[in-house]
Amino acid sequence: MAHFPTSTGHPAWRATVLTLFPEMFPGPLGLSLVGQALAAGLWSLDARQIRAFGLGRHRSVDDHPAGGGAGMVLRADVLAAAIDDARQSNPNAPLIYLSPRGEPLRQPLVRELAAGPGAVLLAGRFEGVDQRVIEARGLREISIGDYVLAGGELAAMVLIEACVRLIPGVLGAVESIAHESFETGQLEHPHYTKPREWEGRTIPDVLLSGDHKKIAEWRREQAEKLTRARRPDLLK
Ligand code: SAM
């Protein structure tokens, strides 16, 4: 299917999710600014049931691991049929398998994916998927962190939300993205708002000074201090 230009002049970012639980979508992606952008057509979401490509009367999608062991593995032939079908409606999007073994999802990768036409996202379940489909279809394995989820659906949602909020027109103020954690290679500075004093705690004077140069300097210092203390790896 073609990418239709949206009100912002950009083609809609298209997410196709292959899952055994399409009813999980849009879920949180249907709410707030990301949900409003979905309703406005700035991006689209198509959650497809892998079982539609299942085999036999029971639409079977999995089988025991070759070599033995616990759990079940999603079959290569079933997944390939689902992927090939999804590709027809989202032809230029990268094929991604959400996997704890994948490359970590970080902001530069989010930016790269958000700038593209969208993504076809395979959400695994059970022990995972047959290795041959990963290789045969050139799936890019992406992890959302060093922990194991029960399925790839929440991981797909994390990736989608991180990308969609970068699409022009989705967030109100573009500036709010520019200074965010990871965009500058550092964690973001602390924020404050009203009331001026709360439980005996005050807002740092510099933020109330009206001196924008000093405020920018303070924020830079705070960001660096915080990054050094919590994530020194980002400064390397
Ligand atoms: N046996 C696999 C392993 O040890 O690498 C874990 C399988 S996990 C129980 C089932 C599915 O959840 C995976 O196929 C994957 O799609 C998804 N998943 C789990 N943890 C994830 C993570 N950190 N990032 C992305 N996807 C994840």
Side-chain angles (χ1 to χ4, degrees):
M1 208 181 288
H3 284 107
F4 299 108
T6 61
S7 53
T8 60
H10 288 262
W13 197 85
R14 185 179 288 266
T16 308
V17 184
L18 304 175
T19 167
L20 289 173
F21 299 99
E23 61 275 24
M24 285 176 75
F25 294 85
L29 299 173
L31 304 172
S32 192
L33 290 176
V34 168
Q36 285 166 25
L38 179 62
L42 290 179
W43 67 286
S44 72
L45 176 65
D46 185 9
R48 297 182 169 202
Q49 175 56 269
I50 294 171
R51 211 169 283 286
F53 301 88
L55 306 172
R57 208 155 53 89
H58 298 292
R59 298 233 166 258
S60 174
V61 296
D62 57 341
D63 217 316
H64 299 281
M72 300 295 271
V73 176
L74 287 165
R75 292 177 58 121
D77 49 357
V78 171
L79 294 178
I83 291 165
D84 294 346
D85 183 68
R87 239 177 174 171
Q88 286 179 25
S89 56
N90 202 353
N92 302 315
L95 303 176
I96 292 167
Y97 167 44
L98 283 314
S99 158
R101 301 184 321 190
E103 61 187 294
L105 183 67
R106 297 207 178 97
Q107 199 63 14
L109 177 52
V110 169
R111 273 199 298 269
E112 177 193 323
L113 295 172
V120 174
L121 302 155
L122 172 61
R125 280 271 156 180
F126 320 129
E127 285 308 312
V129 313
D130 189 309
Q131 179 65 24
R132 291 169 295 178
V133 76
I134 298 175
E135 293 165 12
R137 293 296 180 271
L139 303 182
R140 186 170 184 178
E141 290 186 68
I142 295 179
S143 166
I144 66 157
D146 292 345
Y147 40 79
V148 179
L149 302 165
E153 288 78 9
L154 292 177
M157 287 182 196
V158 166
L159 185 150
I160 292 170
E161 179 164 311
C163 289
V164 164
R165 60 190 294 285
L166 298 186
I167 296 170
V170 172
L171 296 189
V174 173
E175 234 218 313
S176 67
I177 293 176
H179 297 113
E180 276 181 331
S181 296
F182 311 114
E183 286 296 339
T184 54
Q186 295 189 358
L187 303 179
E188 198 187 42
H189 56 76
H191 293 286
Y192 298 87
T193 185
K194 289 174 182 166
R196 209 176 167 127
E197 191 182 330
W198 174 76
E199 292 194 349
R201 294 166 188 266
T202 54
I203 296 174
D205 287 340
V206 61
L207 296 179
L208 305 171
S209 69
D211 185 333
H212 295 294
K213 206 168 149 221
K214 274 203 181 130
I215 291 171
E217 207 172 296
W218 181 86
R219 285 179 170 160
R220 243 192 326 274
E221 280 167 16
Q222 291 294 315
E224 203 183 313
K225 205 166 123 192
L226 208 64
T227 310
R228 210 172 285 288
R230 293 186 186 173
R231 293 292 305 277
D233 56 300
L234 293 177
L235 295 170
K236 279 181 195 141

